[in-house]
Amino acid sequence: MSAAHVTGPALLAFVEHESGVVDETGLELVSAGRAIAEDLGAVLHAIVIGPGAETALERLGAYGAAHAHVVAHPDLAAYAPAAYAESIIQLMGTHEAVGVLASGTEKGNEVLAHVAARTDLPMAANCTEVAAADGAPWALTRLRWGGSLLEDAELDASTKLATLAPHAFQAAEVNGAGIGGVTSAASRGAGIGGVRASAASRGAGIETVAATEFQPELDGASTAVHVVDHEPSGGGVSLASAPVVISGGRGVGSAEGFAVLEELAGLLEGAVGCSRVATNNGWRSHSDQVGQTGTKIAPQLYVACGISGATQHWVGCKDSKNILAINTDQEAPLVTRGNYAVIGSLQEVLPAIVDEVRRRKGA
Amino acid sequence: MGYDVLVCIKRVPAPGARINLTDDEQEIDTRHLGFTMSPHDECAVEEAVRIVAEHGGSSTVLCLGPPEADEQVRQAISMGIDHGVLLAIDEIDWDPQATASAISDTIASLASEGTTYDLVLFGNESPDAGNYQVGVRVAHRLALPIIAGIKGIDFTDDGVGEGERQRAGGRGSIRVRRQVTDGFELYELPLPAAVAVKEGLNLPRYPAIKGRMRARKAQVRGFEPQAEPGGLRKVRLRQPREQKTETVVLGHGPEAATAVVDLFEELGLM
Ligand SMILES: Cc1cc2nc3c(=O)[nH]c(=O)nc-3n(C[C@H](O)[C@H](O)[C@H](O)COP(=O)(O)OP(=O)(O)OC[C@H]3O[C@@H](n4cnc5c(N)ncnc54)[C@H](O)[C@@H]3O)c2cc1C
């Protein structure tokens, strides 16, 4: 394949995709990867694995990948972390990789951990800043305590492995906004559509992004663990995407106490969340838990009822656009850190709010 | 009969709303904090206790940490774990490479004494360091299959006795569930295997008085691991920049309802 222009040291980025769709986190990775590669005098290579990978290529060039490797193997039809890692390691070997980046997602962290384990290289998870210089340790910053603290660290290895915390870096198209896009060229060589900038829609000076098919050699040990089945979820308003989340903590007092939160959430077409105390007491299922070991959310409005605002809860809700705390204690951290507060008992305040919403809705 | 399960846990502080740092910016100031085992680890402990209660076998908890982590080992025993192992170190923790090599060396040396495990459980990540790799590194060193992020474990050969499993040439397998955006992914792992679990796997029990008594008297086996530092070095910890918000108090008690619903309208939620 025409990889002649892609010479010199390589920085590899394992880009996740869902049936060919690369999400914002993946684009952030490519954008950040390009900047880091520039600092290193290296070339950014994207690695895409699994069915639909060819489609995933389309946006990678626009966001800064110079080259893409489409990893193809019958045993990679379903997600298999060790086999993904093995493929990346083989590409590291053939391309003088100075580093490998992945997103700080569940899969990104898992795959890179397998790369780290198999190569016995150090790995820095969930980085928010990376200062890389050729031939020197990388100076980086990473999340601790789910983001309540930051750690400045030094990563020293022949090949550096790091995952990037979601939303810590910005995704930006290389040639500024408004570029129409990179189109898949007609089938080339080994049957993979090379992705190249279409002259009509791209400005001058953008590199053509060539894609190479890569077939790794995999053994039974790396392919043993893979997805064997998939159970779809039930539906309903999901906690992660609801525009408003009505959340309850110890102050709710019981499982039954959540009825009024359910009622308000229903009226506003939102979701019900909770603190770990509610989960641990068996009042709510863990899938409702907001926080470091629960779900991280960013709704338009977060209503925290009877929740104090411990750091592990705060990291889960701090990205909400607006926070309203309802609490008997006006010194509670969620009250002092939130945008809005009502001081009082949720058992009195919530029914009054429900009544008022009903009145205005004329119901 | 049954399964021998090992659970690896970490001691972590339980901070409040703000985490204070020591003057040298190397650690969090724990002078006024309590400690606990990591929540994901606590679910791993609960799962081990349930597996042994259902299928027979034995459970062991292993912790690498300061000598005070004896408290977390005993917490696990009070929840129903049979045996405790503490890898005491002079620091709060080690980097992930050093941690993983100490844990896998210990498991290997126990194996050389004849103690082996069908299943090794880890918490998915520790809340303080969040390195996401200790379990995977240990599993790789021990040549065990591993999957992370698990919220459900089932033994697929339920009801099959040990004899039958051995005649079949193996120790059976597990089916595990992992939550993804649109549902659950299922995986199957042949035993012996390792799994990194997440909160939500189960609801950990509160230790009963009897368990606490037993934990106090239990023998915890000690190992002194050798440090093999890896290539990730902490320089310092710091606080992230926080945006100052002025909290608008919408009112006190039920009278605040009007102002709250005004806010809902303003935000376009009605
Ligand atoms: C490693 C680790 C991970 C954790 N992960 C999470 C996580 O993911 N999510 C999470 O939430 N927690 C998590 N926690 C637990 C966290 O530290 C807190 O213990 C928890 O968030 C507290 O829940 P809470 O606010 O409901 O209870 P509390 O802290 O007890 O606060 C209850 C609040 O309710 C108020 N209140 C009481 N009665 C009323 C009433 N009638 N009306 C109005 N207000 C009332 C009180 O003033 C108080 O502010 C974690 C802890 C650890 C150690």
Side-chain angles (χ1 to χ4, degrees), chain A residues 318-330:
Chain A
K318 70 177 170 46
D319 295 332
S320 306
K321 314 288 178 294
N322 296 281
I323 295 177
L324 162 64
I326 303 175
N327 204 302
T328 44
D329 174 11
Q330 61 182 13

Side-chain angles (χ1 to χ4, degrees), chain A residues 74-244:
Chain A
D75 289 343
L76 293 172
Y79 174 60
Y84 272 43
E86 188 51 41
S87 308
I88 293 169
I89 291 167
Q90 290 175 19
L91 282 165
M92 280 164 68
T94 50
H95 286 85
E96 276 184 70
V98 289
V100 184
L101 304 176
S103 300
T105 54
E106 207 154 308
K107 281 186 179 163
N109 277 323
E110 180 175 46
V111 169
L112 217 60
H114 277 271
V115 172
R118 287 168 169 260
T119 54
D120 202 21
L121 287 167
M123 160 186 156
N126 287 316
C127 299
T128 57
E129 287 168 53
V130 176
D134 189 24
W138 290 4
L140 46 85
T141 302
R142 48 183 302 269
L143 299 181
R144 297 284 299 247
W145 284 101
S148 290
L149 285 182
L150 297 173
E151 172 188 339
D152 294 330
E154 222 176 65
L155 180 62
D156 193 4
S158 51
T159 306
K160 278 85 167 176
L161 308 179
T163 65
L164 307 185
H167 314 313
F169 297 85
Q170 270 197 343
E173 294 194 39
V174 175
N175 214 23
I179 291 174
V182 180
T183 53
S184 206
S187 178
R188 313 186 323 160
I192 293 274
V195 175
R196 46 169 73 244
S198 89
S201 61
R202 307 284 316 253
I206 294 283
E207 273 178 286
T208 298
V209 179
T212 322
E213 183 176 291
F214 176 69
Q215 188 143 23
E217 282 174 29
L218 300 175
D219 61 13
S222 63
T223 57
V225 180
H226 56 88
V227 176
V228 294
D229 209 349
H230 186 264
E231 275 174 14
S233 52
V237 186
S238 102
L239 187 60
S241 61
V244 51

Side-chain angles (χ1 to χ4, degrees), chain A residues 239-241 245 247 290-291 295-299 302 315-320:
Chain A
L239 187 60
S241 61
V245 175
S247 214
V290 171
T295 307
K296 288 195 179 172
I297 59 171
Y302 185 63
V315 293
C317 69
K318 70 177 170 46
D319 295 332
S320 306

